[in-house]
Amino acid sequence: MYDIIIIGAGSAGLTAAIYAIRASKKVLVLEAKSYGGQIVNTLDIENYPVEPHISGFDFATKLYNQAKDLGAEIVFEKVVDINNKDSKEVVTTKNTYSAKALIIATGSENRKLGLSNEDELVGKGISYCATCDGAFYKGKTVAVVGGGNTALEDALYLTDIASKVYLIHRRDEFRGEESTANALKSKSNIEFIYNSNVTKLVADERLNSIEVTNKDGSVKNISVDGLFVAVGRIPENQNFAKLINLDESGYVEAKEDCLTNVPGIFVAGDNRRKEVRQLVTATSDGAIAATNAVKYINNL
């Protein structure tokens, strides 16, 4: 029996482990893939306090080693189910574990365009986070694909950095807030491409242009230094839907205390419904969830 089981070894989960262990709790971290989560794909982190420049891989490795050195048990097994019985029962593909409290820190995945060389070009012209990587494109030409709030906000942010911004949307009107769209339309360095999809990524070692296909069948090639994909995210909460309340987009419904609708089950990181999803907010969630999980256990 563990005190706390944490599902996910990303920034939120590993931070939660550090806080829980420092509170003298027995902690198990379960991870389906590899430690670090989405941040390992970031070549240079510039917006995390104290560390002005660090690669995502180095950041994740330091965090992983810190949790391990403090005494966290980290097991690489995929969680397929959780049961709320006398204790919290976590079922993986190999074993079943029990704990007094549970923190779900499974994060979310960027929804991709599904193009053949997309994965290979991440960090080499393809990005899913304008606030993370926009500074690398100062004075350059970029494109944003998407039509929701994230795409509009990304494009607006990039107009103050890049020399030229293309905003590509598959429909003839945006789904995002009208005020943001109007702010974009006042910018002189943006071009809107409606009723179109990015259908091909052209690259040598880095992205150098994109193929854009209009719904009328016409195709054009646009030279760009970077493409920011903002077509949504997929929270990793599907295995918990029968027990935990999710919103219409699949994110866990929890307030700033990170407590779900089930006593003793907490959530931390990008799979929680919230306004800002950044590295610093993921680690913040981890600290809050662990602190409240410890309080929950101490009050049992």
Side-chain angles (χ1 to χ4, degrees):
M1 168 75 75
Y2 294 89
D3 290 312
I4 299 173
I5 292 176
I6 300 166
I7 305 174
S11 300
L14 292 173
T15 301
I18 290 167
Y19 272 73
I21 292 166
R22 286 175 56 82
S24 300
K25 300 304 178 187
K26 185 180 180 183
V27 176
L28 171 66
V29 181
L30 295 169
E31 170 58 51
K33 300 174 184 175
S34 59
Y35 68 81
Q38 292 291 314
I39 199 63
V40 297
N41 296 320
T42 300
L43 295 180
D44 188 17
I45 300 168
E46 294 184 306
N47 59 355
Y48 195 80
V50 179
E51 285 280 7
H53 291 282
I54 185 172
S55 73
F57 176 79
D58 287 344
F59 179 91
T61 300
K62 285 185 175 183
L63 193 57
Y64 174 81
N65 289 336
Q66 185 177 357
K68 286 278 287 184
D69 290 345
L70 285 170
E73 183 179 347
I74 302 176
V75 175
F76 291 92
E77 295 178 11
K78 180 177 175 60
V79 174
V80 294
D81 200 7
I82 56 175
N83 300 307
N84 186 36
K85 298 182 177 180
D86 292 335
S87 62
K88 314 304 177 189
E89 189 177 83
V90 180
V91 182
T92 75
T93 51
K94 297 180 179 179
N95 296 291
T96 298
Y97 303 93
S98 295
K100 299 172 186 176
L102 176 64
I103 299 173
I104 301 172
T106 46
S108 63
E109 290 186 335
N110 295 301
R111 193 182 301 276
K112 298 180 180 180
L113 297 175
L115 300 177
S116 60
N117 53 344
E118 185 173 356
D119 289 342
E120 290 81 357
L121 291 173
V122 172
K124 299 176 181 179
I126 298 290
S127 174
Y128 300 90
C129 180
T131 55
C132 302
D133 300 327
F136 296 115
Y137 296 90
K138 184 175 179 62
K140 297 184 178 182
T141 299
V142 300
V144 177
V145 57
N149 283 325
T150 299
L152 296 180
E153 290 165 4
D154 284 358
L156 187 61
Y157 175 79
L158 290 165
T159 57
D160 291 329
I161 298 172
S163 60
K164 173 80 174 183
V165 178
Y166 294 95
L167 180 54
I168 303 161
H169 183 39
R170 60 180 178 167
R171 297 189 176 95
D172 59 3
E173 60 182 26
F174 298 115
R175 294 177 290 107
E177 293 182 3
E178 185 177 357
S179 59
T180 310
N182 289 337
L184 267 176
K185 291 172 184 177
S186 70
K187 297 288 186 175
S188 61
N189 62 334
I190 190 163
E191 181 176 334
F192 300 97
I193 302 177
Y194 298 103
N195 298 314
S196 299
N197 290 299
V198 177
T199 49
K200 187 177 180 180
L201 306 173
V202 181
D204 295 320
E205 291 188 1
R206 291 186 57 86
L207 180 73
N208 54 55
S209 66
I210 55 176
E211 179 187 87
V212 177
T213 302
N214 189 279
K215 69 178 183 180
D216 66 9
S218 61
V219 179
K220 63 179 176 179
N221 191 278
I222 302 173
S223 295
V224 295
D225 299 293
L227 174 66
F228 291 84
V229 181
V231 293
R233 296 183 67 86
I234 305 171
E236 298 283 330
N237 296 322
Q238 298 86 347
N239 291 332
F240 320 122
K242 70 177 184 180
L243 181 62
I244 305 299
N245 287 345
L246 308 180
D247 69 10
E248 64 279 0
S249 299
Y251 291 95
V252 177
E253 292 185 337
K255 296 181 180 179
E256 294 302 314
D257 60 4
C258 295
L259 176 63
T260 71
N261 59 296
V262 180
I265 300 183
F266 301 82
V267 61
D270 285 357
N271 58 321
R272 179 173 77 87
R273 184 174 68 181
K274 56 182 179 178
E275 289 296 320
V276 179
R277 292 185 175 88
Q278 289 282 290
L279 179 59
V280 70
T281 63
T283 56
S284 173
D285 273 6
I288 293 168
T291 300
N292 287 328
V294 168
K295 289 180 181 178
Y296 170 81
I297 293 170
N298 290 344
N299 289 328
L300 289 176

